Amino acid sequence: MDLSEIAKKLGLSESKNLIRKAAELRRLCDVQFDSSIIGVGEVCKAIICLEIAATRFQVIFDRQAAIRLSGMSEKAYNRSFNSLQNSLGVKTKLDIRELGIQFGCVRLIPFVRNGLSLYKERFLASLPASRRATADFTRPVFTAVAFYLCAKKHKLKIDKLKLIEVCGTSESEFKCVSTSMKDLCHDVFGISKEKKDPRVVKGNRDLLDALPEKRKFENGGYLSDDGAEHSSYKKRKRMDKVAYEEWKSSVISSNDKNKAKGPCKWSRQTRLNFLKEVPETA
């Protein structure tokens, strides 16, 4: 399909300079590398070149129509766009103010600028002197990640996939830069998550012991929140247990005495009387 026909279907046929720029980018792709290696067909390549050219000339580009025309899914198109753009060495200019307006987070602009400045200083300080001159912070992924982390810290919801699409990077690169920023500037971009340690939680039991209604009995057990009924039940249960232990010890001592006197035969009435003396346990 001819480039002018694709531009006509996308509503870009009136901009001749844009079509010429897209044709130039397409020829550059053919000379530098084989786009089929990265999974970009000829039609998709022409559409992506038109989008890059439209961005250069600040012309409105209908990306959803372009995705439908390419015959690819949105995710596959975004991946192909980022791969082709990076292969051509085309740098997308990303302004913090434009991001704030686009995502409705204008109040984040000063925080993003301060965070980026601090990250550059700390990142350069961590590098050896020979590599500081070659450090490049002009790539839009740094601005996008700083914007995303500031929004997350201030509990503002931002479409991460759309932000990756706007800055023209990949998810893996976005994640890598995000990890680096959180490590170097945790005080600016990091989010502290308090995890409950079982050893620490055990110390909170002292607060329960400090309350009168929750204090422990010396002989075990807790007073209940449900009222005196449950507490009296536990008390009666403990008393029954003590009574059973006393009866048990008396039976054992009685058996020992009987063994010392010699074997004896119990009558039926004696056995019934013995069973009646056994206390009930709850």
Side-chain angles (χ1 to χ4, degrees), residues 22-23 30 50 52 75 122 192 250 262 273:
D30 296 335
L50 282 169
I52 294 173
K75 188 174 181 179
R122 294 181 180 179
S192 59
S250 65
N273 293 336

Side-chain angles (χ1 to χ4, degrees), residues 18 73 104 153 159 175 221-222 248 259:
L18 188 150
S73 65
K153 188 175 180 66
D159 190 348
K175 185 178 180 181
Y222 288 90
K248 183 179 177 181
K259 285 180 181 179

Side-chain angles (χ1 to χ4, degrees), residues 205-243:
R205 296 174 186 170
D206 296 336
L207 297 176
L208 299 178
D209 298 339
L211 300 174
E213 65 273 12
K214 289 288 185 179
R215 286 176 183 160
K216 294 181 180 180
F217 287 109
E218 291 181 357
N219 54 353
Y222 288 90
L223 282 172
S224 174
D225 290 334
D226 298 332
E229 182 180 354
H230 292 276
S231 299
S232 61
Y233 169 76
K234 290 181 179 180
K235 186 176 180 181
R236 183 174 62 83
K237 191 173 181 179
R238 287 193 299 273
M239 291 174 65
D240 291 342
K241 187 176 180 180
V242 171

Side-chain angles (χ1 to χ4, degrees), residues 82 85 92 94 140-141 144 162-170 174:
N82 294 333
Q85 185 177 237
T92 306
L94 200 62
V141 64
K162 186 178 180 182
L163 185 60
I164 292 173
E165 174 188 321
V166 168
C167 70
T169 185
S170 61
F174 190 93

